[in-house]
Amino acid sequence: MNYDIWRELFELHCIGYGVVDHLQPPNEKQPSTSNPDEWDKLHSIFKLWLYGTLSTSIFQMIFKKKVPAYEVWQNIKKVCCDIKVNKVIQIDNELHNISMGNSTIIEYCNRIKNLADLLDNLDAKVPKANLVSYTLNGLSLKLRYIATSIRPKDPLPSFWDTRSILTQEEFQIKLNEPLQSVQNHSDNSSSPTVLVTDGTHNINNNIRGGYRGGRGGRKQCGGRGDGHFGGRNNYSGGHNGNF
């Protein structure tokens, strides 16, 4: 993924040390010294530089015995460019489908910027308008409404301006959350409360009175001797204590 950066830095290194001619085809550039043995020595050191900056996986793919540095250089390019094409597709797809989830705006925008930078390093620069569009598409539900006010703008704000707008809105939402919580609590506090304890206690007392049965139960509850309900809202016990 960092092939383009590596290539640029390695070429600068070679220019600085005056050995960039070792990256040229052997027949195209004459040795930089009149002493062939000295040139071969430098060439071997130069190849060690190349091999020493490669990952193990890349090194195993390009290594061949007794080949000039130019061939090594070209093989690295071929392998890394093939990998690069597949990586561009993968990163571009990830950027298309990115979503905010539970991240903050700062975290979310940082992820988008990192993916865009990777594509830029791979020579697949993301258009500015697309970057803003991807950002708006992946917003969480509580921030989705802001997208409807940003999209119609012509021209669209930059990615950094969009990030600033979203950050301020997120901050305002967090400030309003405690107030909203208090309002909800106040609304719920006026809800009717059902009191059942005393009623249950009275019913249990009446039922116990009914179980006592006999004539005593009739005196306490005002019921008839046949065990039917008697009085107002009270149970009564009969001669045998049954309901």
Side-chain angles (χ1 to χ4, degrees):
M1 291 175 56
N2 64 342
Y3 168 73
D4 291 314
I5 297 174
W6 170 85
R7 182 186 178 99
E8 176 71 15
L9 294 178
F10 195 86
E11 287 180 333
L12 290 174
H13 187 76
C14 294
I15 293 171
Y17 279 90
V19 292
V20 71
D21 54 328
H22 288 267
L23 291 177
Q24 306 299 328
N27 297 330
E28 184 175 311
K29 191 78 174 180
Q30 296 296 323
S32 56
T33 176
S34 58
N35 186 343
D37 292 336
E38 185 66 19
W39 194 90
D40 289 341
K41 179 181 177 180
L42 287 175
H43 196 72
S44 297
I45 295 173
F46 186 87
K47 286 171 62 178
L48 287 175
W49 283 1
L50 274 174
Y51 290 142
T53 59
L54 302 179
S55 65
T56 302
S57 59
I58 298 295
F59 174 76
Q60 291 174 342
M61 281 190 281
I62 60 92
F63 179 75
K64 290 182 180 180
K65 292 181 179 180
K66 298 181 180 180
V67 295
Y70 172 77
E71 186 173 334
V72 176
W73 181 253
Q74 292 301 110
N75 289 339
I76 294 172
K77 178 180 179 181
K78 183 178 185 305
V79 168
C80 290
C81 286
D82 289 343
I83 295 174
K84 186 168 73 172
V85 171
N86 293 328
K87 202 64 182 178
V88 165
I89 295 173
Q90 177 187 336
I91 297 174
D92 186 65
N93 185 60
E94 184 177 351
L95 191 57
H96 270 77
N97 297 291
I98 196 169
S99 62
M100 183 176 173
N102 295 323
S103 305
T104 64
I105 287 296
I106 298 297
E107 294 169 340
Y108 174 56
C109 289
N110 283 347
R111 284 165 49 207
I112 293 175
K113 184 63 168 58
N114 288 339
L115 292 173
D117 287 345
L118 285 174
L119 289 174
D120 193 10
N121 292 337
L122 295 171
D123 295 329
K125 190 174 181 65
V126 181
K128 294 179 179 179
N130 289 14
L131 200 59
V132 173
S133 180
Y134 299 152
T135 304
L136 298 178
N137 290 343
L139 289 175
S140 60
L141 290 176
K142 66 180 181 180
L143 291 167
R144 192 74 56 81
Y145 68 92
I146 306 177
T148 60
S149 63
I150 295 178
R151 283 197 180 95
K153 293 180 181 292
D154 187 18
L156 275 174
S158 68
F159 171 78
W160 295 111
D161 288 341
T162 301
R163 176 181 178 272
S164 179
I165 293 170
L166 295 174
T167 302
Q168 292 175 14
E169 197 66 27
E170 181 184 54
F171 179 72
Q172 191 61 46
I173 290 174
K174 288 182 178 179
L175 286 180
N176 292 336
E177 283 177 352
L179 178 61
Q180 186 65 39
S181 177
V182 171
Q183 290 176 343
N184 291 339
H185 178 73
S186 177
D187 293 342
N188 292 333
S189 64
S190 62
S191 301
T193 303
V194 179
L195 301 177
V196 298
T197 304
D198 291 343
T200 304
H201 177 71
N202 292 335
I203 290 174
N204 289 338
N205 286 340
N206 290 335
I207 291 174
R208 285 198 296 272
Y211 274 120
R212 293 190 187 102
R215 297 181 185 278
R218 182 173 52 199
K219 290 178 182 180
Q220 293 176 14
C221 301
R224 300 202 313 254
D226 57 2
H228 288 277
F229 295 117
R232 293 184 180 181
N233 302 326
N234 291 326
Y235 297 112
S236 66
H239 288 296
N240 56 4
N242 295 326
F243 288 111

